Amino acid sequence: MRRRTAARLVAAAYGAAALVSGGALCVTLWQGVAQPGIALAFGLVVAVGELARVRLPEGRVGGLRTTGLLSGAGALGYALCGQVGDTPAVHGPAQAVTVALVGSLVGLTPHVALGQAPPPQAPARLALGVGFAAVCGQPLYGDGWLGRGVEPGALFTCCLLALALLVGCLDALLAAATDAHGRALRAELRARLVTVPALAATAVLLALAVAVAGLWALLLCCAPLLVIQFALRRRASVRATHRPTLDSLARAPEVAGCTPYGHARRVAELSRAVGRELGLTGGELTALEYAALTHDVGQLSLADPVPGGATTALEPGRQRRIALLGGAVLRQAGVRWRVASAVEAQADPYREQSVTARVVRTVGAYDDLLAGSHSTGRAARQEALHALRTATARDHEPRVVEALSRVVARAADV
């Protein structure tokens, strides 16, 4: 029931965004563009920001999140702009939405041509946020009912910042509700709220700087953001080359006949879902998925493969040796220390493991139990979970087992 209600609210929000966008375009075409030079300057900022948009891998299979800090700040800054130098800004909310949308679409054109455009929800959220900010920001300027009582100064700046933060939080909530369901909504929301303060502060800085120094302030304020986005792009490209290395390491035990085909991928996908259930976000989820993909690399050291690839039946000393060898291989491959440490700790008691290692060990054992079960469907899943619950004294943390149980139950209901 909650999911259905959330889906309806999201659909209503995007429907409203379509109406706002269409109405803003019609009003702007009917009235004409006020102060076209200012509109062009901010439109270029939005377009350049979208052009420099960075695609950040989140760790999900095929999952990507894009970030365009400059474009969002430029669009929101234009909505909050009430003065350019000595000239009052007379553009209304409709023109603010139009400039943001046109600039965004122009900047996204190369991404569309390359098949790398963000989902269509992004422009819709941009239209809603800019329109809301412009409608609420207009009373702060000139003869507005609030502007007559709020003089330029600390209080005025705080009002702009509060409005920008509110818009950023609402945008993050809508984006999280679109990409997540159930308890994962909180994790998705936390991941998106991280950039909201920077976005809001930059938008307010653009609006205030332009009011004092004119349009030249855009160059000074936007240059650092461009540097940050290009740095993120460089980091993302490094991570993009890092992922194929991990995929190759994950497939190696399967090619060598040490583990069943698809085991690493299944464990990685299920581990990520369990991690979200436990409240992990961002880099923690990425490290968890990487550790799950490569947790069986140590089996390449075995002269005779373990039947079915299930190492839980081996004596503790041999399990420990396999885990240490797997961690050593990952360290030599340059994999981050958190991933290698989680793989090395697979044979340790769960009380001595990190959360990442606990999840990988439990999910890996679950997949092994399913593969070796004589039952099918729900009966096999129940038998596997029962076996994990009986081993919570040393091998599996009860909290992780129960999180896995909830994830498996939801997947079975879909």
Side-chain angles (χ1 to χ4, degrees):
M1 185 65 181
R2 291 181 179 178
R3 293 185 185 179
R4 190 177 302 173
T5 302
R8 289 175 178 174
L9 291 175
V10 170
Y14 287 126
L19 292 176
V20 169
S21 302
L25 289 171
C26 291
V27 171
T28 303
L29 290 174
W30 179 263
Q31 296 181 348
V33 178
Q35 298 174 315
I38 299 174
L40 178 62
F42 275 96
L44 286 175
V45 171
V46 176
V48 171
E50 294 289 11
L51 187 63
R53 178 177 285 269
V54 182
R55 304 169 77 239
L56 299 176
E58 293 188 279
R60 296 177 302 205
V61 178
L64 289 169
R65 174 177 294 161
T66 60
T67 177
L69 179 61
L70 179 58
S71 59
L76 191 55
Y78 185 57
L80 298 176
C81 179
Q83 186 172 337
V84 180
D86 297 329
T87 305
V90 296
H91 62 274
Q95 182 169 315
V97 173
T98 301
V99 169
L101 285 177
V102 172
S104 178
L105 294 177
V106 170
L108 288 175
T109 300
H111 295 288
V112 174
L114 295 174
Q116 300 176 349
Q121 293 92 336
R125 297 200 313 271
L126 182 68
L128 282 179
V130 170
F132 180 78
V135 170
C136 296
Q138 293 297 320
L140 292 172
Y141 288 99
D143 296 330
W145 63 271
L146 187 56
R148 291 191 295 268
V150 180
E151 297 294 332
L155 180 58
F156 178 78
T157 303
C158 288
C159 290
L160 287 182
L161 183 59
L163 178 57
L165 286 171
L166 177 60
V167 171
C169 290
L170 292 176
D171 177 79
L173 179 59
L174 183 56
T178 304
D179 296 340
H181 302 282
R183 291 187 60 182
L185 173 63
R186 284 182 285 180
E188 188 74 21
L189 181 60
R190 283 197 297 267
R192 292 183 178 275
L193 285 176
V194 171
T195 60
V196 169
L199 174 67
T202 304
V204 173
L205 176 62
L206 286 176
L208 296 179
V210 166
V212 174
L215 293 178
W216 289 105
L218 290 176
L219 293 176
L220 297 176
C221 295
C222 293
L225 290 178
L226 276 177
V227 172
I228 292 174
Q229 287 199 197
F230 281 120
L232 287 174
R233 181 185 294 274
R234 182 179 180 84
R235 181 171 179 264
S237 65
V238 172
R239 291 181 63 184
T241 58
H242 185 62
R243 179 55 186 259
T245 301
L246 290 171
D247 288 336
S248 298
L249 288 172
R251 287 193 298 268
E254 299 176 2
V255 174
C258 298
T259 59
Y261 178 77
H263 171 74
R265 179 70 58 181
R266 291 192 300 271
V267 173
E269 293 177 353
L270 190 52
S271 293
R272 188 174 183 91
V274 173
R276 285 184 177 275
E277 185 73 16
L278 293 172
L280 303 184
T281 59
E284 295 175 320
L285 282 177
T286 301
L288 173 58
E289 183 179 3
Y290 288 174
L293 279 172
T294 56
H295 73 283
D296 277 327
V297 170
Q299 292 202 41
L300 293 172
S301 63
L302 299 177
D304 298 318
V306 179
T311 59
T312 54
L314 301 177
E315 60 273 14
R318 199 177 180 191
Q319 291 183 32
R320 178 66 174 163
R321 178 175 174 274
I322 294 173
L324 290 175
L325 287 173
V329 170
L330 295 179
R331 292 183 189 278
Q332 291 178 2
V335 178
R336 62 180 69 177
W337 67 268
R338 187 189 300 177
V339 176
S341 298
V343 173
E344 288 176 339
Q346 288 301 293
D348 296 342
Y350 77 79
R351 293 178 179 83
E352 300 176 10
Q353 294 176 328
S354 64
V355 175
T356 300
R358 295 176 186 181
V359 173
V360 172
R361 180 174 187 172
T362 299
V363 175
Y366 173 78
D367 193 76
D368 290 337
L369 290 169
L370 282 184
S373 177
H374 298 292
S375 304
T376 58
R378 181 175 181 180
R381 294 191 295 269
Q382 293 299 326
E383 289 178 5
L385 291 172
H386 176 72
L388 295 177
R389 291 189 177 101
T390 59
T392 53
R394 180 188 185 277
D395 296 335
H396 305 291
E397 182 185 8
R399 185 172 64 107
V400 175
V401 175
E402 295 310 314
L404 172 62
S405 176
R406 292 192 295 271
V407 171
V408 169
R410 282 202 298 269
D413 293 337
V414 175

